[in-house]
Amino acid sequence: MRFFSSLVLVMAAAAPLRAADSPLATASQKPLALVSEGRLQTSIVLADMATDTEIEAAEKLATYIGKSSGAKVPILRGAKFSAQRDVISIFVGEQRANAEISLKAAELPEETFAIKTGSNSVHLVGKDTIYKANAALTPHGRSPATLWAVNYLAEQCIGVRWLWPGELGTFIPKLKTIHLAPLDVRYTPPLELRAFRASLLPEKVSKLFPEADLKREHAEAFQWMENQQLGDRFRTTIAHAFTHWLPKYGAAHPDFFALPPPGVAQSGARGVKLRLANPAVIDAIAAEYIAAGCPPYWCVAPNDGVGFDTSAETCAWDVPQKQSAEDIWNGRGQLTARYVHFWNSVHARLSALNAKVVLTTLAYSSYRNPPPPGVEVKAPLVVALVPSYTTDLWKGWADAGAKLILRPNWWQGGVDAPYLPLEAEGSFIKFAAKHGMIGFNSDSLLGFWGAQGLRYYVTARLLQGPEQSIETLVEEYASAFGRAKPIMVDYFRYWADFSKEASYPVAAGGVVSVNPQGLYEKLCAEHALPLHPIPGSDAIIPYLYTDEVLAKGRDFLRRAREALRGEEEPGFALRIHFLEGGLDELQALREVLIAAHALKQDKSAAHQKQYTQSSNQLLELRRRLTKEGVIWGDIAYDREIRRGIPTLPEAARAKNQSYDGL
């Protein structure tokens, strides 16, 4: 049985070119020998006034060639450069030599790089962009196209891969000879937004971990994201837009806010919804739009959670009619029609102020479904859809005329575990890329690299080129394990098959079942566990990841180690150790959860001792694994404390978060 479908879709025009597929500079050109049997035949050239990004890109290219071949590549400045017949000159950044082949950064679109080879030269130019950073999405506030050009070269002629953050995750094959095929490439990332939302803010330093480890964690994470071409030329935030309204307007304008059913209290500020049919609400939105300078995009996404308006005026916009007030309030209704009506009205008002204004919103919770028949989207709309794994909702919004951003909660499920639903997630991305996707913005990158690094990697690579087969990407990842590659492919196949058997539901504005007959849902029913995958991903661990399941996974890694006996390159074995760390962390977490459950049932001294011991062991393990980059331990604990997952005494005492409407 094959691992994944090997069907390769037709390559989109914007997809990254491969060396074999890219147009040749001239039909007569031969491959350029950068290194021949260990003998260096190249130098890197920078302009005298090179930018910081160009200098960084040149240094990285020299590092990749050097670590691959053992040669030390010189980096020359323009004033000291003179062409030599037997040396290939790699010009990084715009300089005088590029003018001969008409490569100018100013003429390139944003986030675009161009590479062209001559008879004895390689020219790389990128349209690097600096912009205001959104720390959770694009932390460096830049799109380093010149760096991406260098990475493209490193991929094509060396086979460099960026598997996970840090030096160990950067795979640089050892080569005695490095050839570069003739190239004439111009490439722009196909999506306007490519974002993995990572909660890695510089000021967020956990007292549980050394500050130096967390700073390195942040720096390596941001570098990995840049190497995977994550960036932003869409540059407007789509989020819950009205979280500030209750403090701002609540006292003077209670009529701005959703009417609850009788006897029900209004939601808090972050969850409060608007009384959509009140014209004064649109007046207030217009006033805020004017105060903001009438920008080209304006977000109108409802707040999170429950608490939708039950007023008769707003309910009159619903399709179908006569939904119960309780269902509407609790996010179980069908409310897309009312929101389309509202967005059309808002746009009619704002377009009088800026004729080109585009509204942005989420499609989530009870307004996730596309507009029902007879309800027309008249407003120009960018929709960030929070889906499960079925594509019908995506197609419905695309058919309604919306531009679409894929904004999944997929990575909130299966935390800590090697949960790899690669086929389901990859197939959705491929479909979305063919049906109007302009961006991707995941929630959230939680940093379980030893367990789920392949999941993150496959997604990042598909965003660069959705025509790539998932099977090929898995093999690409496994190639970083040397002779153990076939066993590692089987290791990932094992966890992908187990993930399909488990079939976690998806958090997509409520619980969306993937397979009611899957192990997850069966075990939840059997042991009265929470079905919602955010709290349930932890609660299910003692029941789903048994000793037998983990032992089978570890056996693949044991055999992979045996296959590497006598291997001189230490990186292959160290990467196996990295993955073993992911399983160690999962098993240690499982023991804490078992001990916490026992203590909850019986608060004896023996159970308290066992819980304390297992909790401390998990902490010490996470400290080591955070230093090694296997897990982001600070993010794990932050999440667990907020959600009442009892890995620490303070988490065990935390009030459980409500997941209604999430």
Side-chain angles (χ1 to χ4, degrees), residues 78 90 173 296 307 349 361 383 480:
I90 304 177
R349 180 66 177 276
T361 184
V383 172

Coordinates of all heavy atoms in Angstrom, one line a residue, residues 78 90 173 296 307 349 361 383 480:
G78 N 32.6 44.7 -4.6 CA 32.7 45.1 -6.0 C 34.0 45.7 -6.3 O 34.6 45.4 -7.4
I90 N 29.3 34.5 -8.4 CA 27.9 34.5 -8.0 C 27.7 35.9 -7.5 O 28.1 36.3 -6.4 CB 27.6 33.5 -6.9 CG1 27.9 32.1 -7.5 CG2 26.1 33.6 -6.6 CD1 27.7 31.0 -6.4
P173 N 23.5 18.3 2.5 CA 24.2 17.1 2.1 C 25.6 17.4 1.8 O 26.0 18.5 1.3 CB 23.4 16.8 0.8 CG 22.1 17.4 0.9 CD 22.3 18.7 1.6
P296 N -7.7 51.0 2.9 CA -8.2 50.2 1.8 C -9.0 48.9 2.3 O -9.8 48.4 1.6 CB -7.0 49.8 1.0 CG -5.8 50.0 1.9 CD -6.2 51.1 2.8
G307 N -23.0 34.2 22.2 CA -23.6 35.5 22.5 C -24.1 36.3 21.3 O -24.1 37.5 21.3
R349 N -22.1 51.9 3.2 CA -21.8 53.1 4.0 C -20.3 53.5 3.8 O -20.0 54.7 3.5 CB -22.1 52.9 5.4 CG -21.8 54.1 6.3 CD -22.7 55.3 6.0 NE -22.5 56.4 6.9 CZ -23.1 56.5 8.1 NH1 -23.9 55.6 8.5 NH2 -22.8 57.6 8.8
T361 N -13.2 39.6 6.9 CA -13.9 38.9 8.0 C -13.5 37.4 8.1 O -12.8 36.9 7.2 CB -15.4 38.9 7.8 OG1 -16.1 38.3 9.0 CG2 -15.9 38.1 6.6
V383 N -12.5 36.7 3.0 CA -12.9 35.8 4.0 C -11.8 34.9 4.5 O -11.2 34.2 3.7 CB -14.1 35.0 3.5 CG1 -14.5 33.9 4.6 CG2 -15.3 35.9 3.2
A480 N 17.0 13.5 5.2 CA 17.9 14.1 6.1 C 18.4 13.1 7.2 O 19.1 13.4 8.1 CB 17.2 15.3 6.9

